[in-house]
PDB file of all heavy atoms in Angstrom:
ATOM      1  N   VAL L  19       0.829  -1.190  -0.001  1.00  0.00           N
ATOM      2  CA  VAL L  19       0.004  -0.010   0.005  1.00  0.00           C
ATOM      3  C   VAL L  19       0.866   1.240   0.003  1.00  0.00           C
ATOM      4  O   VAL L  19       0.641   2.208  -0.754  1.00  0.00           O
ATOM      5  CB  VAL L  19      -0.949  -0.006   1.223  1.00  0.00           C
ATOM      6  CG1 VAL L  19      -1.696   1.306   1.324  1.00  0.00           C
ATOM      7  CG2 VAL L  19      -1.941  -1.161   1.122  1.00  0.00           C
ATOM      8  N   LYS L  20       1.898   1.244   0.830  1.00  0.00           N
ATOM      9  CA  LYS L  20       2.780   2.401   0.981  1.00  0.00           C
ATOM     10  C   LYS L  20       3.608   2.633  -0.282  1.00  0.00           C
ATOM     11  O   LYS L  20       3.708   3.799  -0.758  1.00  0.00           O
ATOM     12  CB  LYS L  20       3.689   2.200   2.179  1.00  0.00           C
ATOM     13  CG  LYS L  20       4.701   3.315   2.416  1.00  0.00           C
ATOM     14  CD  LYS L  20       5.566   2.982   3.611  1.00  0.00           C
ATOM     15  CE  LYS L  20       6.652   4.039   3.844  1.00  0.00           C
ATOM     16  NZ  LYS L  20       7.522   3.693   5.006  1.00  0.00           N
ATOM     17  N   LEU L  21       4.167   1.593  -0.833  1.00  0.00           N
ATOM     18  CA  LEU L  21       5.117   1.750  -1.925  1.00  0.00           C
ATOM     19  C   LEU L  21       4.469   1.775  -3.309  1.00  0.00           C
ATOM     20  O   LEU L  21       4.939   2.459  -4.205  1.00  0.00           O
ATOM     21  CB  LEU L  21       6.151   0.613  -1.876  1.00  0.00           C
ATOM     22  CG  LEU L  21       6.985   0.530  -0.608  1.00  0.00           C
ATOM     23  CD1 LEU L  21       7.834  -0.738  -0.641  1.00  0.00           C
ATOM     24  CD2 LEU L  21       7.871   1.760  -0.460  1.00  0.00           C
ATOM     25  N   TYR L  22       3.378   0.992  -3.467  1.00  0.00           N
ATOM     26  CA  TYR L  22       2.779   0.839  -4.760  1.00  0.00           C
ATOM     27  C   TYR L  22       1.393   1.436  -4.874  1.00  0.00           C
ATOM     28  O   TYR L  22       0.770   1.413  -5.948  1.00  0.00           O
ATOM     29  CB  TYR L  22       2.700  -0.652  -5.135  1.00  0.00           C
ATOM     30  CG  TYR L  22       4.025  -1.370  -5.009  1.00  0.00           C
ATOM     31  CD1 TYR L  22       4.101  -2.621  -4.374  1.00  0.00           C
ATOM     32  CD2 TYR L  22       5.192  -0.842  -5.524  1.00  0.00           C
ATOM     33  CE1 TYR L  22       5.289  -3.267  -4.260  1.00  0.00           C
ATOM     34  CE2 TYR L  22       6.401  -1.508  -5.392  1.00  0.00           C
ATOM     35  CZ  TYR L  22       6.445  -2.728  -4.766  1.00  0.00           C
ATOM     36  OH  TYR L  22       7.647  -3.408  -4.651  1.00  0.00           O
ATOM     37  N   GLY L  23       0.855   1.952  -3.767  1.00  0.00           N
ATOM     38  CA  GLY L  23      -0.458   2.553  -3.804  1.00  0.00           C
ATOM     39  C   GLY L  23      -1.616   1.577  -3.676  1.00  0.00           C
ATOM     40  O   GLY L  23      -2.774   1.961  -3.813  1.00  0.00           O
ATOM     41  N   GLY L  24      -1.330   0.313  -3.374  1.00  0.00           N
ATOM     42  CA  GLY L  24      -2.392  -0.670  -3.203  1.00  0.00           C
ATOM     43  C   GLY L  24      -1.859  -2.047  -3.090  1.00  0.00           C
ATOM     44  O   GLY L  24      -0.656  -2.302  -3.217  1.00  0.00           O
ATOM     45  N   SER L  25      -2.727  -3.026  -2.803  1.00  0.00           N
ATOM     46  CA  SER L  25      -2.365  -4.424  -2.657  1.00  0.00           C
ATOM     47  C   SER L  25      -3.389  -5.291  -3.371  1.00  0.00           C
ATOM     48  O   SER L  25      -4.557  -4.897  -3.468  1.00  0.00           O
ATOM     49  CB  SER L  25      -2.307  -4.812  -1.173  1.00  0.00           C
ATOM     50  OG  SER L  25      -2.180  -6.207  -0.993  1.00  0.00           O
ATOM     51  N   PRO L  26      -2.972  -6.462  -3.860  1.00  0.00           N
ATOM     52  CA  PRO L  26      -3.965  -7.350  -4.464  1.00  0.00           C
ATOM     53  C   PRO L  26      -4.904  -7.989  -3.469  1.00  0.00           C
ATOM     54  O   PRO L  26      -5.916  -8.587  -3.854  1.00  0.00           O
ATOM     55  CB  PRO L  26      -3.095  -8.430  -5.151  1.00  0.00           C
ATOM     56  CG  PRO L  26      -1.786  -8.412  -4.421  1.00  0.00           C
ATOM     57  CD  PRO L  26      -1.605  -6.972  -3.988  1.00  0.00           C
ATOM     58  N   LEU L  27      -4.609  -7.890  -2.170  1.00  0.00           N
ATOM     59  CA  LEU L  27      -5.455  -8.444  -1.147  1.00  0.00           C
ATOM     60  C   LEU L  27      -6.342  -7.380  -0.496  1.00  0.00           C
ATOM     61  O   LEU L  27      -5.970  -6.229  -0.385  1.00  0.00           O
ATOM     62  CB  LEU L  27      -4.584  -9.090  -0.042  1.00  0.00           C
ATOM     63  CG  LEU L  27      -3.712 -10.270  -0.464  1.00  0.00           C
ATOM     64  CD1 LEU L  27      -3.001 -10.851   0.758  1.00  0.00           C
ATOM     65  CD2 LEU L  27      -4.561 -11.370  -1.159  1.00  0.00           C
ATOM     66  N   PRO L  28      -7.507  -7.797  -0.010  1.00  0.00           N
ATOM     67  CA  PRO L  28      -8.437  -6.831   0.617  1.00  0.00           C
ATOM     68  C   PRO L  28      -8.016  -6.426   2.035  1.00  0.00           C
ATOM     69  O   PRO L  28      -8.500  -5.430   2.545  1.00  0.00           O
ATOM     70  CB  PRO L  28      -9.777  -7.594   0.627  1.00  0.00           C
ATOM     71  CG  PRO L  28      -9.357  -9.043   0.688  1.00  0.00           C
ATOM     72  CD  PRO L  28      -8.109  -9.121  -0.123  1.00  0.00           C
ATOM     73  N   LYS L  29      -7.168  -7.228   2.653  1.00  0.00           N
ATOM     74  CA  LYS L  29      -6.721  -6.952   4.020  1.00  0.00           C
ATOM     75  C   LYS L  29      -5.384  -7.623   4.250  1.00  0.00           C
ATOM     76  O   LYS L  29      -4.943  -8.455   3.463  1.00  0.00           O
ATOM     77  CB  LYS L  29      -7.748  -7.447   5.060  1.00  0.00           C
ATOM     78  CG  LYS L  29      -8.095  -8.925   4.943  1.00  0.00           C
ATOM     79  CD  LYS L  29      -9.179  -9.302   5.924  1.00  0.00           C
ATOM     80  CE  LYS L  29      -9.515 -10.800   5.801  1.00  0.00           C
ATOM     81  NZ  LYS L  29     -10.568 -11.213   6.797  1.00  0.00           N
ATOM     82  N   ALA L  30      -4.754  -7.301   5.381  1.00  0.00           N
ATOM     83  CA  ALA L  30      -3.414  -7.798   5.639  1.00  0.00           C
ATOM     84  C   ALA L  30      -3.386  -9.332   5.863  1.00  0.00           C
ATOM     85  O   ALA L  30      -2.578 -10.014   5.259  1.00  0.00           O
ATOM     86  CB  ALA L  30      -2.800  -7.095   6.830  1.00  0.00           C
ATOM     87  N   ILE L  31      -4.268  -9.829   6.721  1.00  0.00           N
ATOM     88  CA  ILE L  31      -4.290 -11.250   7.061  1.00  0.00           C
ATOM     89  C   ILE L  31      -5.470 -11.935   6.433  1.00  0.00           C
ATOM     90  O   ILE L  31      -6.611 -11.547   6.637  1.00  0.00           O
ATOM     91  CB  ILE L  31      -4.301 -11.454   8.597  1.00  0.00           C
ATOM     92  CG1 ILE L  31      -3.070 -10.786   9.243  1.00  0.00           C
ATOM     93  CG2 ILE L  31      -4.331 -12.944   8.934  1.00  0.00           C
ATOM     94  CD1 ILE L  31      -3.117 -10.796  10.755  1.00  0.00           C
ATOM     95  N   ILE L  32      -5.170 -12.956   5.628  1.00  0.00           N
ATOM     96  CA  ILE L  32      -6.257 -13.768   5.056  1.00  0.00           C
ATOM     97  C   ILE L  32      -6.137 -15.192   5.592  1.00  0.00           C
ATOM     98  O   ILE L  32      -5.045 -15.686   5.858  1.00  0.00           O
ATOM     99  CB  ILE L  32      -6.215 -13.764   3.505  1.00  0.00           C
ATOM    100  CG1 ILE L  32      -4.854 -14.270   2.990  1.00  0.00           C
ATOM    101  CG2 ILE L  32      -6.492 -12.370   2.980  1.00  0.00           C
ATOM    102  CD1 ILE L  32      -4.829 -14.456   1.476  1.00  0.00           C
ATOM    103  N   ASN L  33      -7.269 -15.867   5.758  1.00  0.00           N
ATOM    104  CA  ASN L  33      -7.327 -17.194   6.302  1.00  0.00           C
ATOM    105  C   ASN L  33      -8.092 -18.100   5.365  1.00  0.00           C
ATOM    106  O   ASN L  33      -9.092 -17.701   4.763  1.00  0.00           O
ATOM    107  CB  ASN L  33      -7.987 -17.201   7.683  1.00  0.00           C
ATOM    108  CG  ASN L  33      -7.892 -18.547   8.385  1.00  0.00           C
ATOM    109  OD1 ASN L  33      -8.630 -19.497   8.076  1.00  0.00           O
ATOM    110  ND2 ASN L  33      -6.950 -18.670   9.337  1.00  0.00           N
ATOM    111  N   ILE L  34      -7.644 -19.333   5.248  1.00  0.00           N
ATOM    112  CA  ILE L  34      -8.253 -20.264   4.311  1.00  0.00           C
ATOM    113  C   ILE L  34      -9.745 -20.453   4.536  1.00  0.00           C
ATOM    114  O   ILE L  34     -10.513 -20.591   3.579  1.00  0.00           O
ATOM    115  CB  ILE L  34      -7.501 -21.623   4.332  1.00  0.00           C
ATOM    116  CG1 ILE L  34      -7.914 -22.496   3.167  1.00  0.00           C
ATOM    117  CG2 ILE L  34      -7.693 -22.341   5.654  1.00  0.00           C
ATOM    118  CD1 ILE L  34      -7.061 -23.749   3.001  1.00  0.00           C
ATOM    119  N   ASN L  35     -10.176 -20.436   5.800  1.00  0.00           N
ATOM    120  CA  ASN L  35     -11.598 -20.646   6.069  1.00  0.00           C
ATOM    121  C   ASN L  35     -12.459 -19.443   5.702  1.00  0.00           C
ATOM    122  O   ASN L  35     -13.668 -19.553   5.656  1.00  0.00           O
ATOM    123  CB  ASN L  35     -11.807 -21.039   7.528  1.00  0.00           C
ATOM    124  CG  ASN L  35     -11.611 -22.538   7.749  1.00  0.00           C
ATOM    125  OD1 ASN L  35     -11.969 -23.341   6.936  1.00  0.00           O
ATOM    126  ND2 ASN L  35     -11.012 -22.888   8.902  1.00  0.00           N
ATOM    127  N   ASP L  36     -11.827 -18.304   5.406  1.00  0.00           N
ATOM    128  CA  ASP L  36     -12.588 -17.171   4.875  1.00  0.00           C
ATOM    129  C   ASP L  36     -13.111 -17.461   3.452  1.00  0.00           C
ATOM    130  O   ASP L  36     -14.047 -16.844   2.988  1.00  0.00           O
ATOM    131  CB  ASP L  36     -11.693 -15.926   4.818  1.00  0.00           C
ATOM    132  CG  ASP L  36     -11.279 -15.426   6.176  1.00  0.00           C
ATOM    133  OD1 ASP L  36     -11.919 -15.805   7.164  1.00  0.00           O
ATOM    134  OD2 ASP L  36     -10.282 -14.669   6.249  1.00  0.00           O
ATOM    135  N   TYR L  37     -12.488 -18.454   2.797  1.00  0.00           N
ATOM    136  CA  TYR L  37     -12.833 -18.745   1.405  1.00  0.00           C
ATOM    137  C   TYR L  37     -13.443 -20.135   1.257  1.00  0.00           C
ATOM    138  O   TYR L  37     -13.913 -20.480   0.138  1.00  0.00           O
ATOM    139  CB  TYR L  37     -11.583 -18.658   0.532  1.00  0.00           C
ATOM    140  CG  TYR L  37     -10.938 -17.294   0.525  1.00  0.00           C
ATOM    141  CD1 TYR L  37      -9.985 -16.946   1.476  1.00  0.00           C
ATOM    142  CD2 TYR L  37     -11.286 -16.329  -0.415  1.00  0.00           C
ATOM    143  CE1 TYR L  37      -9.379 -15.691   1.487  1.00  0.00           C
ATOM    144  CE2 TYR L  37     -10.681 -15.073  -0.411  1.00  0.00           C
ATOM    145  CZ  TYR L  37      -9.746 -14.763   0.541  1.00  0.00           C
ATOM    146  OH  TYR L  37      -9.164 -13.517   0.552  1.00  0.00           O
ATOM    147  N   SER L  38     -13.431 -20.957   2.271  1.00  0.00           N
ATOM    148  CA  SER L  38     -13.765 -22.364   2.129  1.00  0.00           C
ATOM    149  C   SER L  38     -15.259 -22.641   2.362  1.00  0.00           C
ATOM    150  O   SER L  38     -15.849 -22.155   3.336  1.00  0.00           O
ATOM    151  CB  SER L  38     -12.916 -23.183   3.094  1.00  0.00           C
ATOM    152  OG  SER L  38     -13.168 -24.549   2.963  1.00  0.00           O
ATOM    153  N   LYS L  39     -15.870 -23.441   1.476  1.00  0.00           N
ATOM    154  CA  LYS L  39     -17.249 -23.861   1.620  1.00  0.00           C
ATOM    155  C   LYS L  39     -17.389 -24.834   2.806  1.00  0.00           C
ATOM    156  O   LYS L  39     -18.440 -24.929   3.406  1.00  0.00           O
ATOM    157  CB  LYS L  39     -17.726 -24.553   0.332  1.00  0.00           C
ATOM    158  CG  LYS L  39     -17.902 -23.638  -0.828  1.00  0.00           C
ATOM    159  CD  LYS L  39     -18.318 -24.401  -2.082  1.00  0.00           C
ATOM    160  CE  LYS L  39     -19.696 -25.013  -1.943  1.00  0.00           C
ATOM    161  NZ  LYS L  39     -20.121 -25.704  -3.226  1.00  0.00           N
ATOM    162  N   LYS L  40     -16.317 -25.572   3.092  1.00  0.00           N
ATOM    163  CA  LYS L  40     -16.312 -26.531   4.197  1.00  0.00           C
ATOM    164  C   LYS L  40     -15.138 -26.204   5.120  1.00  0.00           C
ATOM    165  O   LYS L  40     -14.037 -26.005   4.672  1.00  0.00           O
ATOM    166  CB  LYS L  40     -16.187 -27.948   3.667  1.00  0.00           C
ATOM    167  CG  LYS L  40     -16.176 -29.039   4.739  1.00  0.00           C
ATOM    168  CD  LYS L  40     -16.088 -30.415   4.091  1.00  0.00           C
ATOM    169  CE  LYS L  40     -15.971 -31.524   5.144  1.00  0.00           C
ATOM    170  NZ  LYS L  40     -15.871 -32.869   4.513  1.00  0.00           N
ATOM    171  N   ASP L  41     -15.394 -26.133   6.411  1.00  0.00           N
ATOM    172  CA  ASP L  41     -14.372 -25.840   7.394  1.00  0.00           C
ATOM    173  C   ASP L  41     -13.216 -26.842   7.263  1.00  0.00           C
ATOM    174  O   ASP L  41     -13.398 -28.061   7.316  1.00  0.00           O
ATOM    175  CB  ASP L  41     -14.961 -25.937   8.822  1.00  0.00           C
ATOM    176  CG  ASP L  41     -14.036 -25.403   9.896  1.00  0.00           C
ATOM    177  OD1 ASP L  41     -12.806 -25.463   9.724  1.00  0.00           O
ATOM    178  OD2 ASP L  41     -14.543 -24.963  10.946  1.00  0.00           O
ATOM    179  N   ILE L  42     -12.005 -26.315   7.070  1.00  0.00           N
ATOM    180  CA  ILE L  42     -10.847 -27.166   6.891  1.00  0.00           C
ATOM    181  C   ILE L  42     -10.621 -28.066   8.094  1.00  0.00           C
ATOM    182  O   ILE L  42     -10.165 -29.216   7.957  1.00  0.00           O
ATOM    183  CB  ILE L  42      -9.584 -26.320   6.634  1.00  0.00           C
ATOM    184  CG1 ILE L  42      -9.675 -25.649   5.242  1.00  0.00           C
ATOM    185  CG2 ILE L  42      -8.316 -27.165   6.693  1.00  0.00           C
ATOM    186  CD1 ILE L  42      -9.728 -26.641   4.073  1.00  0.00           C
ATOM    187  N   ASN L  43     -11.000 -27.606   9.287  1.00  0.00           N
ATOM    188  CA  ASN L  43     -10.809 -28.425  10.484  1.00  0.00           C
ATOM    189  C   ASN L  43     -11.602 -29.726  10.414  1.00  0.00           C
ATOM    190  O   ASN L  43     -11.224 -30.726  11.045  1.00  0.00           O
ATOM    191  CB  ASN L  43     -11.210 -27.642  11.746  1.00  0.00           C
ATOM    192  CG  ASN L  43     -10.151 -26.646  12.154  1.00  0.00           C
ATOM    193  OD1 ASN L  43      -8.961 -26.798  11.846  1.00  0.00           O
ATOM    194  ND2 ASN L  43     -10.551 -25.594  12.843  1.00  0.00           N
ATOM    195  N   LEU L  44     -12.679 -29.745   9.642  1.00  0.00           N
ATOM    196  CA  LEU L  44     -13.451 -30.972   9.477  1.00  0.00           C
ATOM    197  C   LEU L  44     -12.638 -32.028   8.697  1.00  0.00           C
ATOM    198  O   LEU L  44     -12.729 -33.210   8.982  1.00  0.00           O
ATOM    199  CB  LEU L  44     -14.772 -30.693   8.760  1.00  0.00           C
ATOM    200  CG  LEU L  44     -15.771 -29.809   9.509  1.00  0.00           C
ATOM    201  CD1 LEU L  44     -17.010 -29.523   8.659  1.00  0.00           C
ATOM    202  CD2 LEU L  44     -16.166 -30.436  10.839  1.00  0.00           C
ATOM    203  N   TYR L  45     -11.849 -31.576   7.726  1.00  0.00           N
ATOM    204  CA  TYR L  45     -10.945 -32.508   7.035  1.00  0.00           C
ATOM    205  C   TYR L  45      -9.876 -33.023   7.970  1.00  0.00           C
ATOM    206  O   TYR L  45      -9.514 -34.203   7.930  1.00  0.00           O
ATOM    207  CB  TYR L  45     -10.306 -31.824   5.835  1.00  0.00           C
ATOM    208  CG  TYR L  45     -11.237 -31.484   4.708  1.00  0.00           C
ATOM    209  CD1 TYR L  45     -11.547 -30.160   4.424  1.00  0.00           C
ATOM    210  CD2 TYR L  45     -11.799 -32.476   3.918  1.00  0.00           C
ATOM    211  CE1 TYR L  45     -12.397 -29.844   3.382  1.00  0.00           C
ATOM    212  CE2 TYR L  45     -12.661 -32.161   2.872  1.00  0.00           C
ATOM    213  CZ  TYR L  45     -12.952 -30.842   2.597  1.00  0.00           C
ATOM    214  OH  TYR L  45     -13.802 -30.507   1.574  1.00  0.00           O
ATOM    215  N   LEU L  46      -9.361 -32.137   8.819  1.00  0.00           N
ATOM    216  CA  LEU L  46      -8.342 -32.541   9.757  1.00  0.00           C
ATOM    217  C   LEU L  46      -8.875 -33.617  10.711  1.00  0.00           C
ATOM    218  O   LEU L  46      -8.225 -34.615  10.963  1.00  0.00           O
ATOM    219  CB  LEU L  46      -7.869 -31.334  10.571  1.00  0.00           C
ATOM    220  CG  LEU L  46      -7.338 -30.123   9.783  1.00  0.00           C
ATOM    221  CD1 LEU L  46      -6.834 -29.033  10.710  1.00  0.00           C
ATOM    222  CD2 LEU L  46      -6.241 -30.525   8.822  1.00  0.00           C
ATOM    223  N   ASP L  47     -10.071 -33.419  11.203  1.00  0.00           N
ATOM    224  CA  ASP L  47     -10.673 -34.383  12.116  1.00  0.00           C
ATOM    225  C   ASP L  47     -10.949 -35.712  11.393  1.00  0.00           C
ATOM    226  O   ASP L  47     -10.820 -36.781  11.994  1.00  0.00           O
ATOM    227  CB  ASP L  47     -11.979 -33.828  12.708  1.00  0.00           C
ATOM    228  CG  ASP L  47     -11.738 -32.656  13.667  1.00  0.00           C
ATOM    229  OD1 ASP L  47     -10.596 -32.481  14.114  1.00  0.00           O
ATOM    230  OD2 ASP L  47     -12.696 -31.900  13.922  1.00  0.00           O
ATOM    231  N   GLU L  48     -11.303 -35.647  10.125  1.00  0.00           N
ATOM    232  CA  GLU L  48     -11.641 -36.850   9.370  1.00  0.00           C
ATOM    233  C   GLU L  48     -10.424 -37.724   9.088  1.00  0.00           C
ATOM    234  O   GLU L  48     -10.497 -38.940   9.183  1.00  0.00           O
ATOM    235  CB  GLU L  48     -12.288 -36.464   8.022  1.00  0.00           C
ATOM    236  CG  GLU L  48     -12.698 -37.630   7.165  1.00  0.00           C
ATOM    237  CD  GLU L  48     -13.358 -37.195   5.848  1.00  0.00           C
ATOM    238  OE1 GLU L  48     -13.592 -35.969   5.682  1.00  0.00           O
ATOM    239  OE2 GLU L  48     -13.661 -38.077   5.005  1.00  0.00           O
ATOM    240  N   PHE L  49      -9.281 -37.109   8.811  1.00  0.00           N
ATOM    241  CA  PHE L  49      -8.099 -37.865   8.395  1.00  0.00           C
ATOM    242  C   PHE L  49      -6.971 -37.863   9.429  1.00  0.00           C
ATOM    243  O   PHE L  49      -5.877 -38.337   9.131  1.00  0.00           O
ATOM    244  CB  PHE L  49      -7.582 -37.301   7.081  1.00  0.00           C
ATOM    245  CG  PHE L  49      -8.547 -37.429   5.925  1.00  0.00           C
ATOM    246  CD1 PHE L  49      -9.034 -36.311   5.260  1.00  0.00           C
ATOM    247  CD2 PHE L  49      -8.943 -38.701   5.502  1.00  0.00           C
ATOM    248  CE1 PHE L  49      -9.920 -36.450   4.195  1.00  0.00           C
ATOM    249  CE2 PHE L  49      -9.849 -38.830   4.427  1.00  0.00           C
ATOM    250  CZ  PHE L  49     -10.325 -37.699   3.788  1.00  0.00           C
ATOM    251  N   VAL L  50      -7.207 -37.379  10.636  1.00  0.00           N
ATOM    252  CA  VAL L  50      -6.161 -37.207  11.613  1.00  0.00           C
ATOM    253  C   VAL L  50      -5.519 -38.550  12.036  1.00  0.00           C
ATOM    254  O   VAL L  50      -4.354 -38.639  12.375  1.00  0.00           O
ATOM    255  CB  VAL L  50      -6.634 -36.424  12.858  1.00  0.00           C
ATOM    256  CG1 VAL L  50      -7.609 -37.279  13.700  1.00  0.00           C
ATOM    257  CG2 VAL L  50      -5.463 -35.971  13.707  1.00  0.00           C
ATOM    258  N   ARG L  51      -6.293 -39.630  12.004  1.00  0.00           N
ATOM    259  CA  ARG L  51      -5.773 -40.937  12.403  1.00  0.00           C
ATOM    260  C   ARG L  51      -4.956 -41.608  11.289  1.00  0.00           C
ATOM    261  O   ARG L  51      -4.073 -42.419  11.570  1.00  0.00           O
ATOM    262  CB  ARG L  51      -6.906 -41.868  12.837  1.00  0.00           C
ATOM    263  CG  ARG L  51      -7.631 -41.376  14.081  1.00  0.00           C
ATOM    264  CD  ARG L  51      -8.765 -42.343  14.466  1.00  0.00           C
ATOM    265  NE  ARG L  51      -9.536 -41.821  15.568  1.00  0.00           N
ATOM    266  CZ  ARG L  51      -9.234 -41.995  16.854  1.00  0.00           C
ATOM    267  NH1 ARG L  51      -8.160 -42.727  17.179  1.00  0.00           N
ATOM    268  NH2 ARG L  51      -9.978 -41.465  17.802  1.00  0.00           N
ATOM    269  N   SER L  52      -5.256 -41.264  10.052  1.00  0.00           N
ATOM    270  CA  SER L  52      -4.601 -41.939   8.922  1.00  0.00           C
ATOM    271  C   SER L  52      -3.475 -41.129   8.266  1.00  0.00           C
ATOM    272  O   SER L  52      -2.705 -41.704   7.496  1.00  0.00           O
ATOM    273  CB  SER L  52      -5.640 -42.318   7.864  1.00  0.00           C
ATOM    274  OG  SER L  52      -6.311 -41.157   7.368  1.00  0.00           O
TER     275      SER L  52
END
């Protein structure tokens, strides 16, 4: 923002679950044993 006048992202910190139809933690719980 400072050097180029903008960023390709809407905010500084982005998280995968902001974009995911299904909570990633559900995949973790499903496959954590295997």
Side-chain angles (χ1 to χ4, degrees):
V19 173
K20 178 181 177 182
L21 300 173
Y22 308 133
S25 170
L27 297 183
K29 56 183 179 179
I31 300 173
I32 57 173
N33 188 283
I34 192 171
N35 276 323
D36 295 341
Y37 299 88
S38 182
K39 290 177 67 176
K40 179 178 177 180
D41 190 331
I42 291 297
N43 284 335
L44 295 177
Y45 292 111
L46 306 182
D47 292 342
E48 181 179 355
F49 296 119
V50 70
R51 296 179 185 274
S52 58

